[in-house]
């Protein structure tokens, strides 16, 4: 029953409301009937008493016979009572020994000209309605007449009505309970399903989905839970993949470090040059690990939104000049021609100088790394709305089907070749995030064996303000 708590609560509340309403209705109806019957009976007996007392006043004293017939006929008991309280005449079923209904104060009332009425219960438990009226003779009250009618049949009718009311009340209550129960089940079932689903999601069963498609708040909530589960699943998968990549990337240089350090330590080399070569490898791998760790920190900071940019007005020509100077030695070593195409002044953009240089350096290093011969051209041009930096090389190019993935973390087109040249596959994903953070966009076009062109575009701020 624990799993159906909402249903229980809903059911109990509705049951309590129904119970109170039905009880109130039943009691009111019963009282209405009861007072109706009482007043009907009282009117009838009062009329009868008046009738009898009039008869007794107008006819001779020898009306006892007539009274007897009347009492028999109307099924009532009659008593003539004198001022002293003695019964002078009695007719009807009621035992005259039971005189408790004759009370002094009532007689006083009657002999002072008023009528009285009361309800009386005899020793056997039978209930009677008693009406008392004065009898006048020559304008003097000579005696009192009491007419006593059994309330048995009225009580019977009222009991029948009460039973009927109780029966229909119980029936209505049970019916309402049944309907409430079904409704509570219908309402609580999706909630219970959601509760179970969220519990499963909480313990890591992220494939859990809810099959609730109603177009109401419950349906919306179920859809939100499904989305949450899907997001968590995606997050878990990418995180797992991310950690797998990191450990893979770290394991390789560490193996080199271990291997070559061991060779040097155990003097397993023949010449000093050989030893230097091994030490050089150790140094290179150390640098590679350093880069990897730096890049990972950078990415983590960006993904958590913790990176802070110091935005200022930047002349992109100056940034490019700085970056080209830094990589020109590398290009020269590979025999590549690195040409920056002169541009007249370009509009300034809002950006972080250091980060813009990081973008340019990454792209230039890629161009140099993946170009064996030929040239690298750097263009900077602008339209009325955009400033575009393009870096074009004559390198190995990127196959079309790989293009969509080059911005993914750790993605390298030619795994073995990149390893030789030292790439970890993090550069472009960092570049893309940095470009986005500064409001720009990045596009790559490439042809295998011909070369690659990477363009970074920034919307010009003046135009943004104008819009
Ligand atoms: N100009 C280019 N020409 C050909 N291939 C490229 C070029 N730029 C990037 N690539 C391909 O895209 C992949 C991803 O580039 P990215 O810069 O992210 O990583 P990386 O250069 O391998 O390593 P690093 O993290 O050191 O930059 C590269 O491994 C390479 O295969
Ligand atoms: Mg790179």
């Amino acid at each position: 029953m624990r799993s159906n708590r909402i249903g229980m609560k809903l059911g109990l509340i509705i049951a309590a409301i129904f119970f109170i309403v039905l009880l109130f209705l039943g009691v009111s109806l019963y009282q209405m009937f009861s007072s109706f019957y009482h007043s009907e009976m009282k009117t009838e007996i009062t009329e009868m008493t008046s009738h009898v007392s009039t008869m007794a006043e107008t006819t001779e004293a020898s009306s006892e016979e007539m009274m007897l017939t009347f009492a028999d006929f109307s099924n009532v008991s009659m008593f003539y009572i004198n001022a002293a309280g003695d019964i002078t005449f009695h007719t009807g079923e009621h035992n005259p020994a039971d005189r408790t209904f004759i009370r002094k104060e009532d007689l006083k009332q009657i002999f002072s000209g008023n009528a009285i009425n009361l309800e009386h219960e005899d020793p056997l438990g039978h209930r009677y309605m008693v009406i008392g009226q004065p009898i006048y003779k020559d304008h003097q009250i000579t005696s009192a007449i009491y007419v006593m009618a059994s309330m048995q049949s009225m009580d019977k009718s009222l009991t029948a009505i009460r039973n009927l009311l109780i029966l229909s009340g119980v029936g209505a209550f049970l019916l309402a309970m049944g309907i409430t129960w079904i409704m509570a089940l219908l309402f609580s079932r999706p909630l219970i399903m959601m509760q179970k689903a969220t519990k499963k999601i909480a313990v890591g069963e992220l494939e859990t989905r809810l099959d609730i498609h109603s177009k109401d708040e419950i349906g919306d909530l179920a859809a939100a839970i499904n989305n949450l589960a899907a997001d968590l699943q995606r997050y878990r998968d990418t995180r797992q993949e991310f950690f797998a990549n990191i450990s893979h990337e770290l394991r390789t240089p560490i193996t080199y470090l271990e291997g070559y350090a061991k060779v040097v330590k155990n003097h397993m080399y023949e010449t000093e040059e050989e030893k230097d070569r091994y030490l050089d490898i150790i140094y290179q791998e150390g640098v590679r690990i350093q880069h990897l760790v730096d890049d990972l920190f950078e990415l983590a900071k960006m993904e958590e939104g913790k990176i802070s940019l110091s935005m200022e007005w930047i002349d992109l020509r100056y940034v490019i000049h700085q970056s080209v100077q830094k990589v020109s030695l590398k290009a020269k070593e590979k025999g590549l021609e690195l040409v920056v195409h002169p541009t007249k002044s370009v509009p300034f953009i809002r950006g972080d100088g250091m980060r813009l240089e990081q973008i340019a350096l990454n792209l230039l290093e890629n161009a140099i790394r993946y170009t064996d011969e030929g040239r690298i051209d750097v263009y900077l041009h602008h339209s009325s709305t955009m400033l575009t930096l393009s870096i074009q090389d004559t390198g190995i190019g990127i196959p079309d089907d790989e293009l969509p993935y080059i911005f993914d973390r750790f993605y390298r087109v030619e795994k073995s070749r990149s390893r030789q040249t030292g790439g970890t596959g993090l550069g472009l994903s960092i570049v893309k995030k940095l470009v986005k953070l500064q409001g720009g966009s990045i596009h790559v076009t490439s042809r295998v064996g011909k070369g690659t062109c990477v363009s970074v575009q920034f919307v010009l701020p003046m135009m943004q303000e104008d819009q």
Side-chain angles (χ1 to χ4, degrees), residues 285-300:
E285 293 303 315
V287 170
R288 180 206 276 274
I289 293 177
Q290 177 71 50
H291 268 125
L292 181 67
V293 172
D294 287 350
D295 284 355
L296 282 173
F297 268 114
E298 188 91 317
L299 261 180

Side-chain angles (χ1 to χ4, degrees), residues 334 360-371 376 393 427-428 431 454:
K334 280 189 89 173
L361 272 176
N362 255 296
L363 297 180
L364 285 169
E365 276 174 7
N366 276 355
I368 295 168
R369 189 182 282 166
Y370 303 109
T371 306
I376 292 154
D393 63 50
L428 281 181
V431 165
V454 185

Side-chain angles (χ1 to χ4, degrees), residues 291 295 362-363 365-371 391 393 395-398 405-408 410-415 418 421-431 444 446 451-454:
H291 268 125
D295 284 355
N362 255 296
L363 297 180
E365 276 174 7
N366 276 355
I368 295 168
R369 189 182 282 166
Y370 303 109
T371 306
I391 296 172
D393 63 50
I396 54 173
I398 305 165
Y405 308 108
I406 57 168
F407 295 106
D408 292 355
F410 295 110
Y411 194 85
R412 295 187 304 244
V413 175
E414 269 182 87
K415 275 81 188 164
S418 303
T421 47
T424 54
L426 287 174
L428 281 181
S429 56
I430 292 175
V431 165
V444 182
S446 186
T452 303
C453 179
V454 185

Side-chain angles (χ1 to χ4, degrees), residues 256-269 282:
Y256 280 121
L257 281 181
E258 270 178 0
Y260 286 104
K262 197 174 167 191
V263 169
V264 177
K265 189 181 163 222
N266 296 341
H267 303 284
M268 290 158 69
Y269 50 87
I282 292 173

Side-chain angles (χ1 to χ4, degrees), residues 196-208:
K196 284 184 183 158
T198 45
K199 271 188 182 162
K200 278 188 184 173
I201 293 169
V203 295
E205 288 179 41
L206 301 181
E207 308 74 29
T208 311

